[in-house]
Amino acid sequence: MINVQYFARYRETLGLDGESLDWHADVQTLAQLREQLAARGGAWAVLAEQNLMCARNQDLCSLAEPLSDGDEVAFFPTVTGG
């Protein structure tokens, strides 16, 4: 099982805080997970944004990060400030 959390604008756009997904060995990286989620279409396309940030098990990481059963994944937009 992979626990996926959505934050900030993604949470608002998708209308949910997170979800639990069955883990499949063919989804080996966060990039592949993101592609799978974005392929749902509609509002899910927001996850295809180029500047998306992510974390695995509460550590910031790149989309190349490998996934394992039991991981917690978070997707959130980049933060800008002045």
Side-chain angles (χ1 to χ4, degrees), residues 40-53:
R40 291 175 172 176
W44 292 94
V46 73
L47 295 178
E49 291 181 342
Q50 188 173 23
N51 293 326
L52 170 137
M53 294 183 67

Side-chain angles (χ1 to χ4, degrees), residues 26-64:
D26 59 330
V27 179
Q28 297 179 6
T29 66
L30 268 73
Q32 290 174 326
L33 175 62
R34 178 178 80 152
E35 289 170 14
Q36 183 181 60
L37 293 170
R40 291 175 172 176
W44 292 94
V46 73
L47 295 178
E49 291 181 342
Q50 188 173 23
N51 293 326
L52 170 137
M53 294 183 67
C54 56
R56 177 178 168 251
N57 298 327
Q58 300 183 4
D59 290 322
L60 289 176
C61 63
S62 75
L63 288 167

Side-chain angles (χ1 to χ4, degrees), residues 9-24:
R9 184 169 42 84
Y10 298 154
R11 176 178 50 211
E12 294 167 11
T13 300
L14 299 173
L16 72 151
D17 294 338
E19 61 184 312
S20 294
L21 304 171
D22 290 332
W23 182 73
H24 299 282

